[in-house]
Amino acid sequence: TGKEVVLWADTFTTWFEPENARSALAVLQAAGYRVHLAKAQDGSRPLCCGRTFLSTGLVDEARREAQRTLKALLPFVARGVPIVGLEPSCLLTLRDEFKVLLASEDANQLANVAYLFEEFIVKELDAGRFKVSFQSLPQQKGLLHGHCHQKAFGLMDSIERTLQMIPNLKVETINSSCCGMAGAFGYDAQNIEISKRMGELVLFPKIRQAAEETLIIADGTSCRHQIANGTSRRAEHVACTLERALPKIEG
């Protein structure tokens, strides 16, 4: 019944890790927001930003996906409703590449209201509208790995501030570069050794040294898979961390 917000689930979230979207929905609703789930207007397959096409040079295909997504989101954009996404590379495509691919005022307006989940939370927190009293977690230490897009857009502060809302959780940001997966780069047989070496520079050793009860937090799906493959540790999206820290409702 509160302020409206659109939760946009990218392809990776929709098909591989829907629990991230469920966690984000739970957190936003706990904070009192009225959450719309973004869907194609014709009820066809889920929306996609087109980055997977764009990253392999299929610009026309990426543009068609961008047009389809913009069309679905435009009624909300026109009313100034924030569009909130979970996967950094996908959400930030709405804010960056859409403006070039579509070169329209509608695309510019979408870019102005598109936020990463934790970026939206911090914005609302600063405005005095996000009011959730998170509870402590069993874990008291967390390691945070930043997705390359989060770093490139200067958004690491948002996720760090969001995690500070959880009492007694001390979070250390790993001073690492790219995890090595780099979208689909690390899945290519000819790149796999390079991908592993990139992970071994800082990220993998830091995680291996962490205690078993230490939380590993990473917003990027490619980052989480790289961490799992390189260290056998499970990393989770910040939305999942926040959901577990929501106040428990007594039955």
Side-chain angles (χ1 to χ4, degrees):
T1 59
K3 180 181 176 181
E4 290 180 287
V5 62
V6 172
L7 180 60
W8 174 62
D10 56 273
T11 301
F12 302 103
T13 301
T14 297
W15 297 112
F16 300 115
E17 297 174 293
E19 64 274 13
N20 295 341
R22 296 188 189 106
S23 291
L25 178 63
V27 172
L28 291 171
Q29 289 181 332
Y33 293 92
R34 180 185 176 194
V35 184
H36 301 279
L37 303 179
K39 297 180 180 180
Q41 290 185 344
D42 61 2
S44 60
R45 59 184 173 80
L47 300 172
C48 173
C49 70
R51 173 162 290 280
T52 47
F53 285 123
L54 196 60
S55 65
T56 54
L58 299 173
V59 178
D60 291 338
E61 289 85 347
R63 183 176 290 109
R64 284 195 290 270
E65 291 299 321
Q67 290 169 336
R68 185 168 163 268
T69 295
L70 178 60
K71 182 179 179 181
L73 296 177
L74 204 53
F76 298 103
V77 172
R79 294 193 287 111
V81 178
I83 310 298
V84 175
L86 302 172
E87 173 63 31
S89 60
C90 295
L91 185 281
L92 294 171
T93 296
L94 272 61
R95 219 152 84 189
D96 188 11
E97 283 87 351
F98 270 31
K99 292 193 291 185
V100 178
L101 284 171
L102 303 178
S104 68
E105 183 55 34
D106 287 342
N108 293 336
Q109 289 181 8
L110 170 59
N112 291 335
V113 295
Y115 302 94
L116 275 178
F117 175 69
E118 62 272 11
E119 187 184 14
F120 172 76
I121 288 176
V122 167
K123 175 178 175 291
E124 294 294 285
L125 193 65
D126 288 343
R129 290 188 291 262
F130 192 90
K131 298 177 181 179
V132 176
S133 297
F134 290 101
Q135 297 181 342
S136 297
L137 293 171
Q139 301 88 348
Q140 296 185 338
K141 176 73 184 292
L143 283 178
L144 172 64
H145 169 70
H147 187 285
C148 287
H149 277 82
Q150 284 175 299
K151 295 171 184 173
F153 280 78
L155 299 177
M156 288 304 296
D157 178 64
S158 295
I159 190 169
E160 291 166 349
R161 284 188 59 193
T162 299
L163 289 166
Q164 288 171 5
M165 292 191 295
I166 301 176
N168 305 316
L169 180 64
K170 183 179 179 181
V171 178
E172 176 186 354
T173 300
I174 302 172
N175 188 21
S176 58
S177 60
C178 178
C179 70
M181 185 59 78
F185 175 85
Y187 283 115
D188 194 314
Q190 66 181 3
N191 299 330
I192 189 168
E193 292 306 319
I194 297 173
S195 175
K196 289 179 179 179
R197 289 203 299 271
M198 290 173 71
E200 292 291 354
L201 289 174
V202 175
L203 181 62
F204 292 172
K206 187 72 175 179
I207 290 177
R208 292 192 193 108
Q209 293 165 11
E212 186 175 344
E213 63 271 16
T214 299
L215 278 175
I216 312 297
I217 304 161
D219 268 7
T221 184
S222 55
C223 304
R224 291 191 294 273
H225 289 168
Q226 181 80 329
I227 289 169
N229 292 337
T231 69
S232 297
R233 292 290 297 270
R234 180 185 178 275
E236 68 180 15
H237 192 282
V238 66
C240 297
T241 308
L242 291 181
E243 185 196 19
R244 292 192 293 105
L246 285 175
K248 302 299 183 287
I249 299 175
E250 298 296 335

